[in-house]
Amino acid sequence: AQSVAQPEDQVKVAEGNPLTVKCTYSVSGNPYLFWYVQYPNRGLQFLLKYITGDNLVKGSYGFEAEFNKSQTSFHLKKPSALVSDSALYFCAVRGGNQGGKLIFGQGTELSVKP
Amino acid sequence: KAGVTQTPRYLIKTRGQQVTLSCSPISGHRSVSWYQQTPGQGLQFLFEYFSETQRNKGNFPGRFSGRQFSNSRSEMNVSTLELGDSALYLCASSLQTASNEKLFFGSGTQLSVL
């Protein structure tokens, strides 16, 4: 069965510092991995995805993610956090012929303080 | 291009009633999927439709149903509402149902069951 784990419910960083939001996955076959962000009272917005190829994926708003097959991880990173990055972040996985069915992690609340 | 539109934005119902939620996908998108978001269970997949056919179904009771029309608009229905059905219901659309496609989410319908 496919699953995603986000081990941290909350991550706090100071503005200007680098941030990392962790994600590990379990899927049979090649994984398709995604990061989405949710702002209060809004739907989810796509940040980036890993399908195949380079292990470092660049996405929207300066975010990037590193795919590590041996550690089955897909951590989200940003070199310099902004206060406006404060939001709820979801890692998701899709495997095989799953179409639109995404399996989401529980979410990590990112808080960036000035 | 307009995004995914969900109506209504908020709904208040009482136990035992039924409710219908509507979703209009991005123009040209043929796949629509539905997710339930609650603080306790997180984001859970309900079902996916493509070209008026249900392609995938999550682990929800039969009280939850959906359909898709020829113009790709989708509705989901919940009958005999229970308190636990209170949640944010998110609709997402994509061009096809390929596993590497990103989903575009609407802002959701917040359902409160009293």
Side-chain angles (χ1 to χ4, degrees), chain A residues 47-96:
Chain A
L47 280 178
L48 50 81
K49 66 179 178 181
Y50 172 82
I51 304 302
T52 186
D54 289 342
N55 290 340
L56 186 63
V57 179
K58 294 192 181 297
S60 307
Y61 314 120
F63 284 93
E64 56 190 28
E66 187 170 10
F67 172 70
N68 188 315
K69 188 173 183 178
S70 62
Q71 297 185 5
T72 61
S73 67
F74 189 55
H75 301 331
L76 182 69
K77 301 182 179 185
K78 187 173 183 181
S80 179
L82 299 172
V83 172
S84 58
D85 292 330
S86 298
L88 191 55
Y89 290 80
F90 290 96
C91 181
V93 67
R94 204 192 267 150

Side-chain angles (χ1 to χ4, degrees), chain B residues 39-113:
Chain B
Q41 299 298 316
L43 280 156
Q44 293 186 287
F45 173 79
L46 280 156
F47 26 65
E48 178 194 18
Y49 289 86
F50 181 77
S51 293
E52 302 178 67
T53 302
Q54 189 179 85
R55 297 289 295 269
N56 253 311
K57 190 177 189 305
N59 296 323
F60 279 82
R63 300 185 297 107
F64 291 81
S65 62
R67 59 178 176 169
Q68 186 181 33
F69 302 95
S70 58
N71 62 357
S72 294
R73 191 177 69 86
S74 177
E75 290 181 346
M76 68 163 281
N77 185 78
V78 188
S79 62
T80 320
L81 283 166
E82 299 177 0
L83 295 178
D85 297 334
S86 295
L88 179 66
Y89 290 88
L90 293 166
C91 167
S93 75
S94 60
L95 279 167
Q96 304 287 341
T97 61
S99 296
N100 62 355
E101 280 200 82
K102 66 182 182 183
L103 301 183
F104 294 82
F105 283 83
S107 294
T109 294
Q110 183 68 55
L111 172 65
S112 297
V113 183

Side-chain angles (χ1 to χ4, degrees), chain A residues 8-47:
Chain A
E8 301 156 317
D9 291 334
Q10 192 172 47
V11 169
K12 294 182 179 180
V13 299
E15 187 175 33
N17 283 1
L19 69 87
T20 298
V21 182
K22 296 179 180 177
C23 171
T24 58
Y25 66 90
S26 174
V27 65
S28 55
N30 293 323
Y32 299 105
L33 296 158
F34 301 79
W35 276 101
Y36 286 84
V37 60
Q38 186 177 35
Y39 297 98
N41 300 314
R42 300 283 298 277
L44 277 68
Q45 294 180 31
F46 171 80
L47 280 178

